[in-house]
Amino acid sequence: MSGSPRLTLTARREHRRLSRVDGMPPVTHPTVRRTSGIPVEAADGVSLLTDHWHAEGAGGHTVLIRTPYGRDGIAGVARFLAERGHHVVVQSCRGTFGSGGAFDPLHHEVADGQSAMRWLRRQHWATGRVHSWGGSYFGVTQWAYCDGDERPDAMGIAISARRFDDAILYPGGGFSIDTPLTWAYALDIQERSLPARLRALLLAAPALDRGARAVPPTEAVRVARGADPGFFRDWVAHSDAGDPWWHPLHFASDIETIPPVTLMAGWQDLFLVGQLADHAALQDAGRAVRLIVGDWVHGATEITDIGVREVLEAFADARPSGVRVEVTGGAGWRDLDSWPPPSSPLTLDPTAANRLAPSRDSATASALSYRYDPADPTPAAGGRTLNPFRAGRRDQRARERRDDVLVFTGDALRADLVVMGAPGFEMSFTSTNPRADVFVRLCEVDARGTSRTITDGYRRLQPEASADGPRRVRLDLAPIAHRFAAGSRLRLQVSSGAHPVHLRNPGTDDPVRDHSRLVPSTQTVQVGGSTPARLTLPVVDGPGHPSFTGT
């Protein structure tokens, strides 16, 4: 079917918003047509429904988008790009919105992406460059191109990562149940009637909370939604570190196959750590890569705005290189040669008096303990998750009042402190259970006493052969670019849980698939002495951004 495009209300709003973004080129082709539902045959004969957006007299460049969320959902972007003289091809992933077959996340994206690319290269109007675009699962479909013979000429990948499992399912060795549970819930309702979707959205917050506590965790989606997607059960079943089941789903392992790419990440996004690892690998290999990181949660509208502008600049051969990051805390955007930038380490030590103080070797040794109970798991209270009811920089005061969270607070800063890179934390740690989690969060406390998360790190500890004494635990917190304002205070939390961003550890030898027993434990952190607990911050000096000068 071909004709003038009719947009949904949501798509119209997105189109209008894009039109107001600074730096966008003007409309050059106002009369756009949409050819809908073109059947593109996959290698196994499955029909993948595809839309072609175009205007008479359009150039030869094409933007390619493959999505499991419906072609209408991206129509505002497609029309906007077509109005600027480009062809836009939008394809529904198999098993979604009319495409044949069943949607089995990740498993068909290499083959189906190759079918889409071969079809596109054969079209008489596709005479210029092909630039793939999109975020989240749209980004996964782009990484999959790199494992085939046909690749785009450039890619724009937002809030995504090459290794789906390491990036968002099992970071730190535990199961981040909140994100896959939320995603499964959203997938189950996305093609239902509008009244059914609205009802499901109204019920979503308590339903997701119930699902996250399901016993066993394999039942989480059924408890939350009454659905039982096979992929969720697969992800629970294959949660052991290094499970070879995941190896075919690690896309673009050969760095040399990756075309020029722009990566767009969010400081509060679930893919942040994985995406920055992708950037580091490309940067180290000397590949053409641009990095943009803003203060975004997953799905923030600014990601689309900047991503569309980057595509248009790439077609105009005007895209800059390097790194551009938003320094949170109100310090604005900064252009860098590389990430992370040069920095100087600042070390701060937790003390027995619950202070976070500049490191001193003479600090008195002490032990601080807390009891972790998986029946009442320490809540996440924000963080990098897909769940919109939980994501982002949440108020930490209720979490910090809990008995299972150690809290250490610094004095008011005398000057701004700009930190850029990954903070590190180490401590001597003992648990009455050899299976324990460590979760560390860095916060900023403002003049009113409100504590909000800046970054955090998580690790699931494995039993050690020698468990008689304390073990030295080291972990990196997620990277940040943040200005801690003069007058604010740094605060460090140490705990053994952040449920359900990280699934509660039941304290048994099958912590993901069982949960029939919940075993409490007592954790002890050593502070001071010869082996102190220590926070290390990468501090950046620069005009208008003085380094730490004491408290």
Side-chain angles (χ1 to χ4, degrees), residues 182-538:
T182 302
W183 196 53
Y185 192 100
L187 287 173
D188 187 67
I189 70 174
Q190 68 173 355
E191 295 192 54
R192 299 184 185 275
S193 67
L194 178 59
R197 293 200 308 274
L198 292 175
R199 173 176 169 79
L201 290 172
L202 288 172
L203 298 174
L208 293 172
D209 286 343
R210 290 194 305 272
R213 287 177 173 263
V215 177
T218 48
E219 296 295 304
V221 184
R222 184 189 60 78
V223 169
R225 178 62 194 156
D228 190 20
F231 73 81
F232 185 87
R233 289 183 174 271
D234 283 343
W235 293 352
V236 174
H238 297 286
S239 57
D240 296 328
D243 191 320
W245 184 85
W246 282 98
H247 293 173
L249 307 178
H250 291 161
F251 300 140
S253 297
D254 183 357
I255 296 294
E256 297 304 317
T257 69
I258 299 174
V261 57
T262 296
L263 301 177
M264 289 156 281
W267 295 126
Q268 303 177 61
D269 179 62
L270 53 141
F271 281 105
L272 171 67
V273 176
Q275 194 160 24
L276 290 183
D278 290 339
H279 172 260
L282 291 165
Q283 183 175 254
D284 292 345
R287 304 299 291 171
V289 57
R290 173 163 165 74
L291 176 67
I292 302 170
V293 193
D295 193 23
W296 307 316
V297 295
H298 199 78
T301 58
E302 295 92 338
I303 301 170
T304 299
D305 300 345
I306 292 176
V308 168
R309 188 170 61 199
E310 287 284 317
V311 169
L312 293 169
E313 289 178 349
F315 282 149
D317 296 319
R319 180 177 58 187
S321 59
V323 177
R324 183 169 174 79
V325 301
E326 184 177 5
V327 182
T328 59
W333 289 85
R334 186 178 295 191
D335 292 309
L336 306 170
D337 292 331
S338 62
W339 178 266
S343 62
S344 301
L346 166 68
T347 59
L348 302 171
D349 290 359
T351 73
N354 298 108
R355 293 186 63 243
L356 190 61
S359 299
R360 297 185 180 92
D361 294 339
S362 60
T364 303
S366 186
L368 302 176
S369 298
Y370 60 93
R371 184 175 185 268
Y372 169 74
D373 184 359
D376 179 25
T378 316
R384 298 179 304 281
T385 172
L386 186 63
N387 188 328
F389 308 107
R390 224 183 311 275
R393 304 191 192 282
R394 305 288 172 134
D395 189 331
Q396 296 295 297
R397 286 174 292 184
R399 189 178 195 274
E400 291 168 351
R401 287 194 292 266
R402 289 180 60 102
D403 293 337
D404 54 2
V405 180
L406 299 179
V407 177
F408 306 94
T409 307
D411 294 334
L413 295 173
R414 295 178 182 173
D416 289 353
L417 174 67
V418 179
V419 178
M420 299 179 71
F425 181 72
E426 59 180 315
M427 66 178 174
S428 294
F429 177 84
T430 308
S431 176
T432 56
N433 189 324
R435 296 174 177 84
D437 289 357
V438 173
F439 181 79
V440 176
R441 175 169 280 162
L442 177 63
C443 303
E444 182 173 22
V445 184
D446 64 22
R448 296 174 296 181
T450 301
S451 173
R452 296 192 183 278
T453 180
I454 301 302
T455 186
D456 51 51
Y458 164 82
R459 183 175 163 195
R460 175 151 291 183
L461 303 180
Q462 299 300 320
E464 290 186 339
S466 175
D468 295 335
R471 61 194 297 184
R472 197 68 179 169
V473 175
R474 296 177 176 84
L475 74 160
D476 288 333
L477 282 63
I480 57 174
H482 183 75
R483 180 186 67 180
F484 293 89
S488 69
R489 302 168 188 267
L490 277 69
R491 177 168 290 172
L492 186 73
Q493 302 174 8
V494 179
S495 65
S496 289
H499 181 83
V501 172
H502 302 285
L503 178 66
R504 57 183 171 171
N505 188 338
T508 66
D509 60 359
D510 192 6
V512 174
R513 294 180 283 274
D514 185 9
H515 283 211
S516 60
R517 291 189 306 123
L518 300 175
V519 182
S521 55
T522 298
Q523 330 290 32
T524 302
V525 176
Q526 306 291 326
V527 298
S530 59
T531 56
R534 179 153 291 172
L535 173 69
T536 302
L537 301 176

Side-chain angles (χ1 to χ4, degrees), residues 77-103:
V77 169
R79 179 174 175 175
F80 185 86
L81 290 167
E83 288 173 340
R84 278 130 187 98
H86 305 300
H87 295 271
V88 184
V89 170
V90 183
Q91 184 176 88
S92 288
C93 294
R94 75 166 55 210
T96 67
F97 292 89
S99 287
F103 182 54

